[in-house]
């Protein structure tokens, strides 16, 4: 699928999906997952920090699947469980997935320190 014409016209860019990531934290991480699954022609990479809120992987995941980096802090067990659920479902469907747990709790400081690592993973090489 091609990048939609309106996107090219409005923002004057047409990056390939493998060079375009969507990032979110907490409920925003679940939105990032949903956006990438719904629009694989736009987002080839998902960076999801502490996904939580109840959005669960569908029984049948669409193709193509985005490369996905999931992160959760050791001090936020609900979010570790949800990130792990997503990592397992995506990996079982054939996606490239990295799941990281690190010391930290739910919040901006934890995500701020992890974002450079996530971006490096997404665009290395």
């Amino acid at each position: 699928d091609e990048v939609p014409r309106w996107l090219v016209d409005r923002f004057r860019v047409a990056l390939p999906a493998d060079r375009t990531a969507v990032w979110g934290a907490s409920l925003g991480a679940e939105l990032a997952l949903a956006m990438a699954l719904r629009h694989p022609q736009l987002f080839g990479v998902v960076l999801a920090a502490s996904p939580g809120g109840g959005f669960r992987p569908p029984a049948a995941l669409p193709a193509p699947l985005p490369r996905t980096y999931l992160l959760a802090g050791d001090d936020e067990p609900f979010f570790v469980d949800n990130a792990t659920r997503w990592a397992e479902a995506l990996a079982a469907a054939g996606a490239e997935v990295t799941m990281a747990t690190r010391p930290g709790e739910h919040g901006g400081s934890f995500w701020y320190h992890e974002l450079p690592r996530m971006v490096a993973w997404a665009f290395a090489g």
Side-chain angles (χ1 to χ4, degrees):
D1 295 28
E2 292 185 24
V3 175
R5 186 81 234 155
W6 67 265
L7 189 64
V8 175
D9 292 344
R10 180 164 184 179
F11 297 107
R12 305 280 188 244
V13 295
L15 294 173
D18 66 340
R19 300 300 298 163
T20 306
V22 58
W23 178 89
S26 194
L27 184 57
E30 292 190 344
L31 177 61
L33 286 160
M35 293 297 293
L37 292 176
R38 183 169 179 163
H39 300 287
Q41 76 280 16
L42 297 178
F43 306 109
V45 179
V46 178
L47 306 174
S50 307
F55 180 50
R56 293 179 177 260
L61 289 163
L65 290 168
R67 294 175 50 237
T68 304
Y69 189 112
L70 292 145
L71 165 74
D74 291 335
D75 296 328
E76 51 175 8
F78 169 83
F79 301 95
V80 171
D81 291 346
N82 203 38
T84 301
R85 182 181 306 112
W86 273 99
E88 290 171 353
L90 288 164
E96 179 185 339
V97 179
T98 293
M99 171 65 200
T101 55
R102 307 219 193 283
E105 58 186 29
H106 202 75
S109 176
F110 173 61
W111 303 323
Y112 174 81
H113 291 292
E114 290 297 321
L115 183 59
R117 213 177 267 167
M118 297 171 90
V119 171
W121 174 87
F123 300 116

